[in-house]
Structures are given as C-alpha cells and as structure tokens.
Amino acid sequence: MNDNLFDNHDHDEDENWVSRSQRKRDVEALQKLGERMVELRPDQLDKLPIDDSLRAAIDEAKRLTARSALRRQMQYIGKLMRHEDGEAVQAAIDRFDVTKKEHNQVFHKLEKWRDRLIANEAQMMDVILTEYPHTDIQHLRQLVRNSQREASQNKPPATAKKLFKYLRELEESK
C-alpha cells in the first residue's frame, strides 16, 4: 500500500510549482522593466498599458535624486509591476526601441544626403526630387549653394543645418 503513495501525487501541482529562484528572477525582470519605463519620455509612457498608480510611481521615480530613495522607489515599481501584464508592457517598450532605431537610420541617411549635396554630387539632386516630388527645388538649390559657400569660407555650418532641417521636413511630410 505504501508503494502507491507516490502514485496519488497530484500532477497539476507540478505544473504550477515555481521555484523560489525562478520567482526571484521574475521579480527582478519586472523591476528591470520598471527601470526601463522610468527612462521613457512622458508621451511614450502615455502609450503603455499600465494603471494610474504605476504611472504615478514612475513619475515619482523621475523626480527623485537621492540614490537610496530611488532604489526603494524602483523596488516599489517592481512590486506594482506584478499586477500588470508584463508581456504587453515589454512589447510596447520594444516598439519604442524599433522606432528609435528606424529614426536613427533615417537621420543618418539624411545626413549623408546633405553632405553629398554640399559636395555637389550631380545625381543627388535627382535622388531627392525622385524621393520627394513636392520639393521646392529653388529653395533646395539656394540652401545647397549657401552651404557650399559656408564650407569654402570655413564658416560655421548654419546653412548646412538649415539644409538638413529642410530635408527632415521633406521626409516627415512624405
């Protein structure tokens, strides 16, 4: 009869059982996620699927300067995170990272285009007109000429910055 003692063990309990170490790793992961949320801008925080108490705790953490107070606040944020959908919050934060990466790629592309325009690459003007058909060609050429003049006279790149800004406006209106 004692041989069957282990056979009566409830297998459902095995599936729901989580080690203390695993629970601790999960709590630390939620706290790390909370730390990433504190680094977000307010407009990004507005897009996260979190409740008001967690948002208030994040805003409070942004305000704190004392190291020990900030550490306690981060622990509190981690505790509040246990009641949130961590996967949904993580997915939203990951979307911000992808957006940031895409933004950086566009930024670098526009910088290269500006430099190529200033270097007077003939085909670059055609590339821009093809990419942005609504371009004010006269304004663009004037910015390029003034940027080239600045570069040749070793002046600060004020017009080159205006040229970049104009390219960015074209990209955003696309």
Side-chain angles (χ1 to χ4, degrees):
M1 192 169 222
N2 284 340
D3 293 335
N4 293 334
L5 183 65
F6 294 109
D7 292 338
N8 293 334
H9 183 68
D10 190 6
H11 293 288
D12 291 338
E13 287 181 25
D14 285 343
E15 292 174 11
N16 295 330
W17 183 82
V18 179
S19 70
R20 273 181 47 191
S21 299
Q22 183 59 45
R23 283 195 305 254
K24 188 172 181 178
R25 284 191 295 270
D26 292 344
V27 167
E28 288 173 354
L30 289 174
Q31 192 168 342
K32 291 269 188 223
L33 189 58
E35 289 172 10
R36 286 186 67 195
M37 289 191 306
V38 170
E39 296 169 358
L40 295 176
R41 297 186 318 261
D43 63 310
Q44 292 174 324
L45 283 172
D46 292 339
K47 297 175 184 172
L48 292 181
I50 57 176
D51 67 10
D52 293 337
S53 61
L54 180 56
R55 174 61 191 262
I58 291 169
D59 291 340
E60 179 68 16
K62 288 176 179 250
R63 190 185 64 73
L64 295 174
T65 57
R67 202 172 177 88
S68 60
L70 183 58
R71 182 183 54 79
R72 284 190 305 272
Q73 188 68 14
M74 294 311 300
Q75 288 174 337
Y76 178 63
I77 289 172
K79 181 179 177 183
L80 291 176
M81 282 296 299
R82 295 177 201 163
H83 306 291
E84 299 291 331
D85 183 2
E87 291 177 7
V89 172
Q90 180 69 51
I93 291 174
D94 289 344
R95 279 195 302 273
F96 297 141
D97 289 344
V98 168
T99 304
K100 184 177 177 183
K101 182 179 176 184
E102 290 171 354
H103 172 74
N104 288 341
Q105 289 173 340
V106 169
F107 185 86
H108 292 302
K109 175 186 82 168
L110 294 176
E111 280 183 328
K112 288 178 186 175
W113 285 7
R114 177 203 56 207
D115 295 342
R116 290 174 64 188
L117 282 169
I118 293 172
N120 208 16
E121 287 188 25
Q123 72 272 17
M124 199 60 234
M125 194 65 79
D126 294 334
V127 169
I128 290 179
L129 292 174
T130 303
E131 188 78 21
Y132 312 111
H134 58 284
T135 302
D136 180 354
I137 187 70
Q138 201 170 14
H139 181 62
L140 180 62
R141 285 186 175 146
Q142 181 182 10
L143 288 171
V144 170
R145 274 193 309 272
N146 292 345
S147 297
Q148 290 168 339
R149 189 175 314 118
E150 276 179 354
S152 68
Q153 296 174 354
N154 291 326
K155 289 187 174 182
T159 311
K161 289 179 182 178
K162 289 179 183 175
L163 175 60
F164 178 79
K165 184 178 177 186
Y166 183 65
L167 291 172
R168 193 177 68 215
E169 289 170 1
L170 290 172
E171 178 67 29
E172 289 172 357
S173 67
K174 186 169 124 179

